[in-house]
């Protein structure tokens, strides 16, 4: 979620102030009077500085992990809750998702306690954070002793490798040291097979199938064979219609996965939010017909593309639902419910408003409708008090020391408070997405008065 700021109530200690002063000083580096050789040298040193900063982050993260675990109550449930809370705190501090926060906590622990040579390379700026993440990931199934042996063997080679090469090297040594653990990891990976979707630029999306190598390669080969036959005119029931082999393969895969016959319309519901002006050319004449539409959780779509989707959807397959916005056109209006759970149209309104999980920098899809002010403390099941959240963030906010509240006087801004007292704020996007804030009616009126004068 965009437009996030972090505030603190107390002055930072000397260590934080020192790093902050160094960071601020980077803004005053002037490249004008430097030679090209100097500029290249400076680019190199700044890259090393980023890598050394990642090493310092790892040390701080592991120290925080040890402190949190010492303070945690005994028992597996309490330790699991503490680990989840820790990962979310680190994620907020790094402006990243909770999943990446968990990953960095594990990486930091491995670097600090089990891989001193790799850590030293990171500190000296000879390896990047992505490199060490790959090495740690590929040695995750090993014992501490075997991981240390990988660290020792690859210490000289790693600075010369890219991040993919570093991962391959670590994987090879791991397979040599403990083949059984690598086999067990491979077998366990089969249980994680899944299908996922994520947005792509220009109104497209990626559909990813994670499965056993042999089966995925076989499916890909079958698609390519079918596509080649269609393009060459050897399939009587399907013509290429100007498509290349790649487009035919993609169309075939999507058609077969959705169970459609050739030429059948895709029977799926998509929440497409756009103004009446952009859709029909009617309504507020001050707005443009080119204003992009938005698909919650996936981002903006150019208005002509959205209109073409609707034209090609087929008769009787498009349903319109009017959404009423605030006078300035930024926010959806409130919708209340007396029910305890967020369901039906109320839940749909939360998804349309919040787009993705409301936790700053999470960006995970909305899974649960949640009470910002808890229902157990007389929080209302209302549009204003509701929040769209992923399952992870909804659980974390119930952990000791966490708090979430709607900022008083804001249109829809929440504040997340962590156990260390840090506060992070995030706003719901405008109804058509970030960058679409229209001027308010009052601003337009005042501008008209100024022009008239």
């Amino acid at each position: 979620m965009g437009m996030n700021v972090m505030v603190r109530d107390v002055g930072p200690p000397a260590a934080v102030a020192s790093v902050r002063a160094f960071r601020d000083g980077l803004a005053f580096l002037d490249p004008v009077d430097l030679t090209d050789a100097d500029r290249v040298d400076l680019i190199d040193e700044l890259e090393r500085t980023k890598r050394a900063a990642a090493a310092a982050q790892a040390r701080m993260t592991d120290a925080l992990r040890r402190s949190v675990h010492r303070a945690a109550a005994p028992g597996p449930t309490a330790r699991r809750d503490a680990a989840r809370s820790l990962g979310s705190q680190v994620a907020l501090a790094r402006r990243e998702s909770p999943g990446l926060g968990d990953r960095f906590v594990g990486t930091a622990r491995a670097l600090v306690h089990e891989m001193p040579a790799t850590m030293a390379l990171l500190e000296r700026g000879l390896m990047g954070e992505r490199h060490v993440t790959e090495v740690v990931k590929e040695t995750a199934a090993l014992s501490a002793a075997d991981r240390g042996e990988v660290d020792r063997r690859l210490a000289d080679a790693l600075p010369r490798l890219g991040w993919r090469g570093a991962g391959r090297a670590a994987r090879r040594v791991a397979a040599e040291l403990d083949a059984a653990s690598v086999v067990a990891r491979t077998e366990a990976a089969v249980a994680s097979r899944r299908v996922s979707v994520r947005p792509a630029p220009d109104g497209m999306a990626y559909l990813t199938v994670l499965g056993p190598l042999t089966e995925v390669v076989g499916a890909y080969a079958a698609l390519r064979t079918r596509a080649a036959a269609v393009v060459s005119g050897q399939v009587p029931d399907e013509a290429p219609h100007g498509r290349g082999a790649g487009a035919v393969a993609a169309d075939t895969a999507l058609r077969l996965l959705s169970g459609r016959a050739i030429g059948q319309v895709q029977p799926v519901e998509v929440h497409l939010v756009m103004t009446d002006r952009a859709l029909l050319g009617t309504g507020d004449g001050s707005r443009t017909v080119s204003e992009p539409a938005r698909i919650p959780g996936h981002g903006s779509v150019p208005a002509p593309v959205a209109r073409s989707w609707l034209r090609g959807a087929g008769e009787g397959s498009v349903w319109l639902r009017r959404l009423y916005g605030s006078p300035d056109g930024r926010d959806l209006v409130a919708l209340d419910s007396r029910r305890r759970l967020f369901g039906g149209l109320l839940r749909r309104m939360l998804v349309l408003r919040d787009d993705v999980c409301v936790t700053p920098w999470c960006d995970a899809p909305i899974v649960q409708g949640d009470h910002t002010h808890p229902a157990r403390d007389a929080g209302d099941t209302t549009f204003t008090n509701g929040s769209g959240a992923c399952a992870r963030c909804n659980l974390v906010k119930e952990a000791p020391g966490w708090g979430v509240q709607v900022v008083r006087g804001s249109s829809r801004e929440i504040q997340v408070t962590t156990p260390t007292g840090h506060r992070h704020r995030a706003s719901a996007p405008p109804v058509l997405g970030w960058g679409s804030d229209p001027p308010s009616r009052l601003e337009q009126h005042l501008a008209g008065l100024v022009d008239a004068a």
Side-chain angles (χ1 to χ4, degrees):
M1 186 176 293
M3 297 184 64
N4 303 298
V5 294
M6 185 183 78
V7 294
R8 297 188 62 177
D9 294 328
V10 297
V16 178
S18 175
V19 173
R20 184 174 296 162
F22 170 74
R23 184 199 68 204
D24 292 342
L26 294 177
F28 296 97
L29 289 176
D30 189 353
V32 174
D33 295 328
L34 300 178
T35 66
D36 285 350
D38 292 335
R39 295 184 183 109
V40 171
D41 288 340
L42 193 54
I43 291 171
D44 177 64
E45 287 303 325
L46 288 172
E47 180 60 32
R48 290 179 179 231
T49 300
K50 287 195 296 184
R51 296 174 173 189
Q57 274 189 323
R59 291 195 302 272
M60 296 304 112
T61 299
D62 189 67
L64 176 63
R65 178 190 64 81
R66 296 197 303 271
S67 174
V68 169
H69 284 191
R70 283 194 300 267
T77 300
R79 287 195 294 270
R80 183 176 63 250
D81 291 344
R84 186 187 294 124
S85 175
L86 169 65
S88 291
Q89 290 185 72
V90 172
L92 286 168
R94 287 170 58 93
R95 277 74 169 170
E96 291 181 346
S97 70
L100 290 178
D102 289 340
R103 185 184 305 175
F104 190 67
V105 170
T107 299
R109 179 176 183 175
L111 288 173
V112 171
H113 298 286
E114 299 173 359
M115 310 190 78
T118 303
M119 181 64 167
L121 292 172
L122 185 63
E123 290 173 332
R124 292 163 57 195
L126 299 179
M127 286 182 67
E129 186 176 10
R130 193 168 189 180
H131 295 69
V132 300
T133 299
E134 285 297 307
V135 173
V136 170
K137 181 182 73 174
E138 295 297 342
T139 58
L142 300 182
S143 65
D146 285 342
R147 182 176 253 171
E149 177 63 13
V150 175
D151 182 59
R152 184 190 67 78
R153 285 199 197 183
L154 297 182
D156 292 334
L158 288 177
R160 299 192 296 271
L161 301 176
W163 66 268
R164 290 188 180 89
R168 288 193 297 267
R171 189 185 315 129
R172 197 211 72 80
V173 179
E176 176 186 336
L177 295 176
D178 191 353
S181 69
V182 175
V183 171
R185 176 178 172 178
T186 302
E187 292 174 347
V190 176
S192 68
R193 59 191 184 279
R194 61 188 179 274
V195 178
S196 59
V197 62
R198 67 185 191 277
D202 305 320
M204 305 290 279
Y206 296 103
L207 178 66
T208 304
V209 180
L210 177 64
L213 176 64
T214 54
E215 294 188 26
V216 172
V217 171
Y220 177 74
L223 284 171
R224 298 298 298 181
T225 300
R226 165 78 181 192
V230 171
V231 171
S232 61
Q234 300 177 25
V235 179
D237 61 341
E238 184 177 5
H241 297 301
R243 296 173 297 169
V248 173
D251 293 345
T252 302
L254 295 175
R255 176 173 56 81
L256 293 175
L257 287 171
S258 59
R260 290 178 289 133
I262 296 175
Q264 183 180 353
V265 175
Q266 178 69 271
V268 66
E269 180 179 11
V270 175
H271 293 164
L272 185 67
V273 184
M274 60 192 308
T275 65
D276 52 354
R277 184 73 175 172
L279 175 61
L280 304 171
T282 61
D284 189 349
S286 66
R287 306 187 77 139
T288 173
V289 295
S290 299
E291 193 163 6
R294 177 174 67 89
I295 299 178
H298 289 265
S300 295
V301 177
V305 173
R307 289 193 291 266
S308 70
W309 286 353
L310 297 175
R311 284 195 300 268
E315 184 178 354
S317 63
V318 177
W319 293 83
L320 300 181
R321 186 186 303 277
R322 288 181 296 181
L323 301 175
Y324 295 95
S326 56
D328 61 5
R330 185 194 188 280
D331 300 305
L332 295 179
V333 297
L335 176 66
D336 292 348
S337 171
R338 296 183 181 274
R339 291 182 295 180
R340 168 64 176 80
L341 301 177
F342 290 93
L345 293 179
L346 181 53
R347 185 184 187 283
R348 183 174 298 182
M349 288 284 284
L350 294 181
V351 173
L352 292 174
R353 182 194 66 194
D354 293 336
D355 195 36
V356 293
C357 178
V358 296
T359 302
W361 305 292
C362 178
D363 287 334
I366 293 174
V367 176
Q368 299 171 352
D370 178 47
H371 296 79
T372 305
H373 182 69
R376 64 176 179 274
D377 295 333
D380 296 329
T381 306
T382 64
F383 184 57
T384 302
N385 191 47
S387 293
C390 69
R392 161 69 179 269
C393 292
N394 196 21
L395 289 173
V396 165
K397 82 179 191 67
E398 301 297 328
W402 286 83
V404 181
Q405 64 183 30
V406 178
V407 177
R408 182 176 299 177
S410 68
S411 59
R412 176 57 193 177
E413 185 178 24
I414 67 164
Q415 177 174 285
V416 178
T417 304
T418 69
T420 54
H422 291 81
R423 294 182 292 159
H424 304 264
R425 290 185 179 182
S427 299
V431 66
L432 292 177
W434 292 114
S436 66
D437 286 290
S440 68
R441 305 292 185 189
L442 178 59
E443 290 173 340
Q444 293 175 350
H445 178 66
L446 293 176
L449 292 179
V450 172
D451 292 340

